[in-house]
Amino acid sequence: RVANEGCTVYTSAIMSGIYYSVSKGANVISLSLGGLEQPNSGYQIVSKAIDYAVANNVVVVAAAGNSGSGMGTVTQPASSLNAITVGNSDSSATPGISSSSSRGVLANGVIKPDVVAPGISIYSLSLNNGYATKSGTSMAAPQVSGLAALLMQQNSFLTPLQVKQKIQMSAHDAGVLEVIQGSGRINVLNALNQ
């Protein structure tokens, strides 16, 4: 919880939240937020906090953002090289990727997102103890965070890099370019049965 009442998120608050989570023994940090810092090189200041978390054996998952189908639309913190960056797809057997899902090659040549997950028309919690149907990479990223937690529960010796690799290697190819889907849509059963 790093946003203020007006839903503004300051870089300092994101970083403080990451450091706080690490200090409290978190295993997975899920970041469904984004910024506009350019160039999207993966080396911005928030990326340094993510690097710190990963170095302390914490998996960091970040929503890719909803800036559209143009190349290079992934910004911080999703542009972090060590984060598992998540785009969004529908939930069909042959998933389509949302046209709003950020994607493309970072300024340093790294391809993001790393994977996609269902993020279109997701029934989720809303304000005042309610529920609503929402879409976006912020709906997809928590599913990857849950998968990361399951993998770490299954094998507590996994490093964040190994968790990322398992999620990517077990993903289902959605039949589109890597710069759009990364390794594909997550497959929970495949990941847990590797």
Side-chain angles (χ1 to χ4, degrees), residues 172-183:
H172 171 74
D173 185 352
V176 294
L177 295 174
E178 184 182 0
V179 294
I180 298 171
Q181 68 168 343
S183 296

Side-chain angles (χ1 to χ4, degrees), residues 30 61 86 89 117-120 122 136-150 167 186 188:
S30 189
V61 178
V86 185
S89 69
I120 300 172
I122 303 298
T137 59
S138 289
M139 298 289 101
Q143 296 182 60
V144 177
S145 299
L147 175 53
L150 288 172
I167 291 172
I186 62 166
V188 175

Side-chain angles (χ1 to χ4, degrees), residues 7-64:
C7 292
T8 300
V9 182
Y10 293 101
T11 298
S12 59
I14 298 170
M15 294 179 66
S16 293
I18 292 169
Y19 290 124
Y20 177 83
S21 298
V22 173
S23 74
K24 294 299 180 182
N27 297 116
V28 180
I29 296 173
S30 189
L31 300 171
S32 287
L33 45 85
L36 300 175
E37 187 175 339
Q38 296 289 346
N40 58 353
S41 63
Y43 297 110
Q44 296 91 340
I45 192 163
V46 173
S47 294
K48 300 299 182 188
I50 292 172
D51 293 346
Y52 171 81
V54 170
N56 281 276
N57 213 38
V58 180
V59 175
V60 180
V61 178

Side-chain angles (χ1 to χ4, degrees), residues 143-174:
Q143 296 182 60
V144 177
S145 299
L147 175 53
L150 288 172
L151 287 166
M152 294 184 82
Q153 182 181 43
Q154 188 179 60
N155 181 352
S156 61
F157 295 103
L158 290 175
T159 66
L161 178 59
Q162 289 170 324
V163 170
K164 184 175 185 176
Q165 289 172 336
K166 280 182 170 287
I167 291 172
Q168 289 184 287
M169 289 188 303
S170 61
H172 171 74
D173 185 352

